[in-house]
């Protein structure tokens, strides 16, 4: 975004550019979100390590505070990414059992079903 008089309000121009870039950052970060319908594999933890399945639930971890030690920008990014301070419910492919794990413990395998 180019302004005709950048010396008039340089902070306003920088803020406008930051807000414009923020929407692109948020859309890129949201692609990493283990949302409902995505196929995932558990990559950390002991009990469910290696299990694969489809996410049927994604929600906040009620035992952790997502806004602790975070400013509003960090909180917005955490919410868009949906991994830290979030949990997912996964329907395991082989056994059809439902497991609940922290969202940062899964990796996305394929596209939405």
């Amino acid at each position: 975004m180019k302004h005709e008089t950048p010396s008039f309000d340089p902070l306003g121009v920088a803020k406008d550019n930051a807000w414009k870039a923020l929407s692109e950052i948020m859309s890129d970060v949201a692609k990493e979100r283990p949302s409902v319908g995505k196929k995932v594999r558990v990559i950390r933890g002991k009990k469910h390590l290696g299990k694969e399945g489809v996410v049927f639930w994604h929600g906040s971890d009620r035992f952790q505070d997502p806004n602790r030690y975070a400013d509003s920008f960090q909180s917005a990014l955490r919410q868009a990414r949906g991994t830290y301070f979030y949990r997912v419910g996964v329907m395991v492919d082989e056994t059809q059992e439902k497991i609940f794990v922290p969202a940062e413990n899964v990796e996305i395998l394929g596209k939405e079903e």
Side-chain angles (χ1 to χ4, degrees):
M1 177 182 267
K2 209 170 193 184
H3 292 277
E4 296 173 5
T5 57
S7 61
F8 177 72
D9 186 14
L11 294 177
V13 173
K15 207 180 264 189
D16 289 346
N17 291 337
W19 280 110
K20 188 175 183 182
L22 180 63
S23 64
E24 295 170 10
I25 292 169
M26 292 297 244
S27 64
D28 290 341
V29 167
K31 292 175 187 174
E32 302 170 13
R33 183 184 185 98
S35 54
V36 174
K38 290 188 178 179
K39 183 150 176 90
V40 296
R41 177 187 306 129
V42 180
I43 58 170
R44 283 190 289 275
K46 293 180 181 177
K47 187 174 181 181
H48 303 296
L49 184 65
K51 292 184 179 179
E52 294 182 7
V54 178
V55 175
F56 68 88
W57 177 81
H58 179 271
S60 63
D61 189 347
R62 64 182 177 161
F63 300 107
Q64 296 185 16
D65 182 14
N67 298 320
R68 186 175 183 186
Y69 306 122
D71 60 12
S72 59
F73 180 74
Q74 290 170 329
S75 295
L77 282 178
R78 284 179 184 167
Q79 189 173 8
R81 188 165 186 213
T83 53
Y84 299 110
F85 304 106
Y86 286 87
R87 295 182 67 82
V88 292
V90 179
M91 175 73 77
V92 179
D93 291 336
E94 303 98 30
T95 61
Q96 297 300 314
E97 73 174 312
K98 295 179 179 179
I99 62 172
F100 293 87
V101 295
E104 65 262 18
N105 289 1
V106 299
E107 70 174 348
I108 300 169
L109 295 178
K111 297 183 180 192
E112 292 183 12
E113 291 186 354

